[in-house]
Amino acid sequence: MRKVSARSPRRGEDRRSWLSGAPPPRWVRVLPPALVVAVCVATLVSDDRLDVGFLLGAIPPLAVLSYGPMATALLCGAVVALLTVPVFQLDRPGDADLLTVVFVAGLSVFVSFVRSRRDAQLDQERTVAEAAQHAVVPPLPERVGALRCAGLYRAAQRGTLVGGDFFDVRDGPFGVRVVMGDVQGHGLSAVSTVASLLGAFREAVLDQPDLASVAGRLDRRLLVDSAHARHAELFATAALLEFSADALRVGVVVCGNPPPLLLRDGGATEVRVSPWTPLGLGLADSGSIEACTVSLRRGDLLFLASDGVVEARDAAGAYYPLAERLAAFAGEDPAALPERVWADLVRFCPEVEDDVTMLVLTPSPPSAR
């Protein structure tokens, strides 16, 4: 079965700047050899001796930014060699201090070695973080039962792959059930809570007869986790959905999370639900939670988004108009809709400060396949 990724930034989409650990841009790599060539050409074509030897002293430190120790050593060797070639006349007093350049070159090779070891360790840690994310929030199948799925995930902290948002779609004896939530905190500090809630949800899908009981199970899980940690006060917002066998009827329970949006006939409207308190407060008694039932048509879409989407603001303080933008994107492929909204959100609010999660659910009964 083909998988649809609950996507984090891939290596080619690294949200970090190159000064914060991302690979340097191409121009940084080209600069050291280009500077060597420029000095040589300028010296050879000039009728008068140019005082440009000092520029060679900048090449070893520049090489450290983007080259490994071997390539840095080669560039440093080329610099030292240029200072000793008589035809260039770069080693005269006032042009360059050979001993200083040799010292800087040796130091640059050492720094490049240390940087390459550090980068290798960071790459390993990033690979482990990516594996942890896929273990906690695995890629979504393209289809679960009679439901088509597409999801997107972006962590708030730059350079990280995991955060406090989560979602999952599972088929069970009581129908296809969906959860989207946001736990307290961000980054790695929230991963253990996310893993605990998803484990409780996957168990509840198999043995809880109704959606309110699933919410109660998640609430109890957070209460138990809080009891074993001092001053934990764990809580989470969540939206839970339960689809019928043909996916044309859905029950919705919202516990502090933004309600789903229904895309129908080119418009986007918020599903009317009875909101409940966030999970982890001990109030999610299955007898008191009211599930809202919505009838769906073929061609309808349900769009779920986390707080990071609905509470994003532009420079003027205006909230992102999610419903209006979804209505404008209504005719697009549902599988591409999360990426389309993400690109639009980044243009509206370049500095997104919260985890961003989106989930698109499309009824696809067997007769319509």
Side-chain angles (χ1 to χ4, degrees), residues 70-86:
M70 291 299 297
T72 301
L74 290 175
L75 284 170
C76 291
V79 168
V80 174
L82 289 175
L83 291 174
T84 59
V85 173

Side-chain angles (χ1 to χ4, degrees), residues 68-338:
M70 291 299 297
T72 301
L74 290 175
L75 284 170
C76 291
V79 168
V80 174
L82 289 175
L83 291 174
T84 59
V85 173
V87 69
F88 292 110
Q89 299 182 359
L90 296 173
D91 60 339
R92 292 187 179 184
D95 293 331
D97 188 333
L98 180 60
L99 292 179
T100 300
V101 173
V102 170
F103 174 77
V104 172
L107 184 61
S108 297
V109 173
F110 174 73
V111 173
S112 178
F113 173 76
V114 174
R115 183 191 60 80
S116 63
R117 294 290 298 270
R118 183 207 62 183
D119 288 349
Q121 183 178 3
L122 290 177
D123 285 342
Q124 183 179 7
E125 292 175 356
R126 188 169 174 82
T127 301
V128 172
E130 187 173 11
Q133 185 222 17
H134 286 301
V136 175
V137 186
L140 285 175
E142 184 184 48
R143 183 186 302 276
V144 179
L147 198 65
R148 291 181 59 196
C149 312
L152 179 141
Y153 179 87
R154 293 288 189 273
Q157 295 181 356
R158 291 184 179 270
T160 62
L161 296 172
V162 289
D165 283 9
F166 63 94
F167 60 80
D168 200 3
V169 182
R170 295 278 164 166
D171 197 0
F174 306 103
V176 176
R177 286 173 171 171
V178 180
V179 64
M180 170 180 280
D182 181 6
V183 307
Q184 178 188 19
H186 298 291
L188 296 176
S189 62
V191 173
S192 60
T193 306
V194 169
S196 180
L197 280 177
L198 284 176
F201 170 75
R202 290 160 185 168
E203 289 182 0
V205 164
L206 300 176
D207 54 31
Q208 294 299 321
D210 56 76
L211 203 55
S213 299
V214 176
R217 176 70 67 87
L218 300 183
D219 182 73
R220 188 182 67 179
R221 178 72 267 167
L222 284 179
L223 286 175
V224 172
D225 291 346
S226 296
H228 294 287
R230 297 183 60 185
H231 312 296
E233 298 181 356
L234 297 177
F235 67 89
T237 61
L240 298 110
L241 292 79
E242 180 179 272
F243 288 84
S244 60
D246 58 2
L248 296 179
R249 190 175 66 258
V250 58
V252 182
V253 168
V254 172
C255 300
N257 204 72
L261 291 170
L262 175 62
L263 278 70
R264 174 182 291 171
D265 299 331
T269 57
E270 192 174 274
V271 175
R272 294 185 177 181
V273 297
S274 299
W276 195 249
T277 57
L279 303 172
L281 304 180
L283 303 176
D285 182 0
S286 60
S288 59
I289 299 176
E290 181 180 351
C292 169
T293 302
V294 179
S295 296
L296 302 176
R297 307 172 190 168
R298 289 183 173 88
D300 287 350
L301 277 74
L302 282 176
F303 188 94
L304 287 84
S306 64
D307 292 339
V309 179
V310 299
E311 295 182 0
R313 301 191 187 193
D314 63 7
Y319 287 104
Y320 179 68
L322 178 59
E324 296 178 12
R325 301 302 173 92
L326 284 176
F329 304 149
E332 301 193 8
D333 181 11
L337 187 56

